[in-house]
Amino acid sequence: MSGRRGLGARWRRRRPLRARLAIAASAAVALVAIGVCAAAFVIIRVQMTRQLDLNLSQTATEVTRQRHDWGPTASDDSCRYQAAPCVQIVPSDPAKDPRQHYTLPVGEATRQVAAGRHPAYYTKLTVAGQPVRMFTSHLQGGRSEALQVALRSDSVERGVRQAAWALSAVGGAGALLAAALGYWVSRTGLAPVARLTATAERIAATRDARHRIELPTGSPAREDEVTRLATSFNIMLGELEQSVAAQKRLVADASHELRTPLTALRTNAELLARADRLTDAQRDRASSALGRQLREVTTLVNDLIELARDEEPQPLVEQVRPAALLEHAVGAAREHWPEITFTTRTDPAAAGATIPGVPPRLARLLSNLLDNAAKFSPPGGPVETELALTAGQLDLTVRDHGPGIAAADLPHVFDRFYRAQAARALPGSGLGLAMARQIARAHGADLTAERAPGGGALFRLRLPAP
């Protein structure tokens, strides 16, 4: 039994979803149609038999009223005719039987009914080659006699057979209609799934995420599960398309940014290869340029690696105190930018606050913000940092007093490789602020840029509530 069930399960799994849905829907409708026809046949047969039994009962009552003073009487075979009944009266004592032969069968049950010891009953039999139905009841009036009345039943049987054929035809037509409806339901209901499958296969074949599934028009409140699935799939395709486009853009921008320093590296390397033709000053200048360009390329490659990471793994997350992290980052910036004056102000309420995070990544974020502020500050100019606890969240700001951010550049300061017109002559690859925002988002923080009152740029980092 279990082997047959396993075979049936394997057969179902090998069928397409559309075929399985069509078979299930057809079987359900066909079973309902056949069940209705079977129930109708039973009802028709019961009703027709009940009508014949009612006729027999009425005939017995009529005969009792007309022949109440008769004694035992043998019936003739008049019930072989369609509308004529056969009637006979049977005593409980066989010794009182009439001389004529009984046409209708008389048995022990008949004698028991005549004696009043058995209830009335109906019987199917054949008389003179014709099917009849007989009703045997006790004859009232204090007499120990039974009344037997028989009527032909072939019309009822013929009607039952005709009903059976008609209902069989209806059931067969219903099963065929159920198959057609099941196919239509599966084809119509799975059409969006088929479109989704075709789109997925096309994307897999072409690696083009620009394809979308066509959605039905109508009220959004009437969307069904398949439509919502298609909508979610389209949203996923949009995200995939943006991700692929971002990757292509990153590769293109990285190749563009690496081309210049690599060319300079090769030039200086070739120049140092002919060091015997250079003076000591030329060799030192070429060596210094080569070292500087190697550091720039290394920094650019590290920044690209950092940008390619999505988010930190959970085991690296720990409780971080932003105040201590800011103090450490400002100290490192003072050593790197000795000509810049860095000031720090920490709200006492925020001094002991801690947040979950990855210390090296948050330190990199602050370092990028401070380096960016120092790069645009005039020599000897101040860079002001402040950490405060406002509205239940930590608010960290970094402000410089440089030329500020032009209105046209403000929406793009966090874009990868974006460099404003005023910054193209300064060192850097345009990845520092993009990396800072990525680190902030990975920690559930929000990093924004704005023009500071009185000049300069103001970067605001809103960290989640401790």
Side-chain angles (χ1 to χ4, degrees):
M1 183 64 71
S2 60
R4 288 197 294 271
R5 285 200 300 266
L7 182 62
R10 287 196 297 271
W11 183 89
R12 288 192 300 272
R13 286 195 298 268
R14 292 174 181 174
R15 301 303 98 191
L17 178 60
R18 178 179 295 178
R20 283 183 282 166
L21 181 59
I23 291 173
S26 302
V29 177
L31 286 175
V32 171
I34 293 174
V36 170
C37 291
F41 171 75
V42 171
I43 292 173
I44 291 173
R45 185 177 63 181
V46 169
Q47 290 297 329
M48 294 183 72
T49 303
R50 182 178 296 175
Q51 184 62 40
L52 180 59
D53 292 345
L54 181 60
N55 291 339
L56 285 171
S57 178
Q58 292 175 347
T59 302
T61 303
E62 182 75 17
V63 170
T64 301
R65 188 168 51 249
Q66 293 176 357
R67 308 181 184 184
H68 64 279
D69 55 348
W70 288 21
T73 305
S75 172
D76 55 15
D77 57 356
S78 58
C79 56
R80 64 182 177 177
Y81 303 107
Q82 188 66 42
C86 292
V87 180
Q88 68 183 20
I89 299 174
V90 180
S92 60
D93 186 1
K96 298 180 180 180
D97 286 345
R99 296 178 181 179
Q100 296 89 347
H101 175 71
Y102 286 121
T103 302
L104 301 177
V106 176
E108 182 60 27
T110 308
R111 305 292 183 179
Q112 294 292 328
V113 171
R117 294 190 295 269
H118 192 283
Y121 64 91
Y122 294 91
T123 309
K124 290 178 63 177
L125 59 139
T126 301
V127 175
Q130 299 296 333
V132 298
R133 186 169 179 83
M134 182 180 68
F135 176 56
T136 303
S137 63
H138 180 70
L139 194 62
Q140 302 298 324
R143 300 160 60 182
S144 298
E145 295 175 339
L147 176 63
Q148 292 181 306
V149 180
L151 286 171
R152 281 183 57 175
S153 61
D154 54 342
S155 60
V156 173
E157 294 179 359
R158 185 168 55 252
V160 170
R161 286 195 300 271
Q162 291 174 351
W165 282 108
L167 291 174
S168 298
V170 172
L176 294 177
L177 180 61
L181 288 176
Y183 176 77
W184 178 81
V185 167
S186 65
R187 187 178 182 85
T188 304
L190 294 179
V193 178
R195 290 196 297 268
L196 190 150
T197 304
T199 302
E201 292 175 348
R202 187 161 58 250
I203 293 172
T206 62
R207 298 182 179 273
D208 186 0
R210 292 175 297 176
H211 299 287
R212 296 292 184 274
I213 300 174
E214 183 180 355
L215 299 176
T217 58
S219 172
R222 298 182 180 178
E223 291 184 353
D224 55 12
E225 290 77 5
V226 177
T227 304
R228 291 200 299 271
L229 175 62
T231 304
S232 301
F233 192 77
N234 283 343
I235 294 174
M236 183 188 68
L237 288 177
E239 296 292 336
L240 178 62
E241 182 182 4
Q242 292 181 5
S243 176
V244 172
Q247 290 181 2
K248 291 181 178 179
R249 188 165 57 250
L250 177 62
V251 172
D253 293 341
S255 62
H256 175 74
E257 292 292 329
L258 285 170
R259 186 178 294 114
T260 300
L262 288 176
T263 301
L265 277 174
R266 184 177 61 184
T267 301
N268 287 316
E270 291 174 353
L271 184 62
L272 288 174
R274 297 190 296 271
D276 55 338
R277 303 179 186 180
L278 302 176
T279 64
D280 292 341
Q282 290 174 333
R283 281 196 300 270
D284 292 341
R285 189 164 55 252
S287 178
S288 177
L290 183 63
R292 184 176 63 256
Q293 290 156 1
L294 281 173
R295 286 193 298 272
E296 291 180 359
V297 171
T298 301
T299 301
L300 178 59
V301 171
N302 289 335
D303 290 345
L304 289 173
I305 293 173
E306 292 288 342
L307 285 173
R309 299 169 63 181
D310 290 333
E311 59 183 17
E312 295 301 326
Q314 288 299 321
L316 297 178
V317 177
E318 58 184 78
Q319 290 297 319
V320 181
R321 194 159 63 93
L325 206 61
L326 177 61
E327 183 179 354
H328 180 271
V330 170
R334 286 194 181 104
E335 296 179 1
H336 188 66
W337 302 90
E339 70 278 9
I340 302 298
T341 301
F342 291 91
T343 61
T344 303
R345 180 181 176 276
T346 303
D347 186 355
T354 60
I355 61 171
V358 183
R361 297 281 282 163
L362 289 174
R364 184 64 181 274
L365 185 157
L366 296 177
S367 175
N368 286 359
L369 292 180
L370 293 171
D371 287 345
N372 182 78
K375 184 170 61 176
F376 287 97
S377 294
V383 172
E384 303 165 359
T385 62
E386 182 179 357
L387 179 63
L389 183 62
T390 58
Q393 65 181 4
L394 292 173
D395 198 354
L396 190 152
T397 58
V398 177
R399 177 187 176 175
D400 62 61
H401 290 267
I405 305 174
D409 297 326
L410 197 58
H412 306 287
V413 293
F414 295 106
D415 292 349
R416 295 174 181 176
F417 299 105
Y418 182 80
R419 305 186 71 185
Q421 185 69 30
R424 293 179 182 175
L426 299 175
S429 60
L431 293 176
L433 293 179
M435 187 187 308
R437 170 167 278 189
Q438 178 173 299
I439 296 172
R441 287 178 174 174
H443 286 78
D446 185 26
L447 178 61
T448 59
E450 57 189 82
R451 303 180 68 178
L458 176 65
F459 288 86
R460 189 182 305 276
L461 177 66
R462 291 185 175 88
L463 296 165

